[in-house]
Amino acid sequence: MKPMKLTTLAAVAAIAAPGMLWALTEADTDGDGMVSLAELQSVLPMITEEAFTQMDVNADGGLDADEIAMAQSAGLLPANEG
């Protein structure tokens, strides 16, 4: 992934979610333990398909807890609060 893309994605996440309480359990509306693009966009509407694909490291179509933690550490998703 190019550094410019990481910077852009981090900026989008920061703009989309200031002060937002976001947790895996809130986004995982079907309870399957993974967050789909549609589920993620329901809480972070500015997340693009391209950004989601970059966060979906194993390319299985969903973000698991490890992928979410990596995306949060990289600043691509807001950190869990509380």
Side-chain angles (χ1 to χ4, degrees), residues 3 13-14 18 20-21 24 33 35 44 46 49 53 55 59 61-63 69 73 76 81:
M20 177 184 287
L21 174 62
L24 173 60
V35 177
L44 296 172
M46 298 300 289
E49 185 174 353
T53 299
M55 290 183 272
L63 302 180
S73 292
L76 303 176
E81 296 177 10

Side-chain angles (χ1 to χ4, degrees), residues 20-44 52 55-56 60-72 77-82:
M20 177 184 287
L21 174 62
W22 184 80
L24 173 60
T25 55
E26 291 177 25
D28 182 19
T29 57
D30 64 8
D32 68 354
M34 295 181 35
V35 177
S36 68
L37 175 59
E39 289 172 324
L40 185 58
Q41 287 177 329
S42 74
V43 294
L44 296 172
F52 181 86
M55 290 183 272
D56 184 15
D60 64 356
L63 302 180
D64 60 29
D66 290 338
E67 289 168 321
I68 289 170
M70 286 188 289
Q72 288 173 322
L77 289 175
N80 292 340
E81 296 177 10

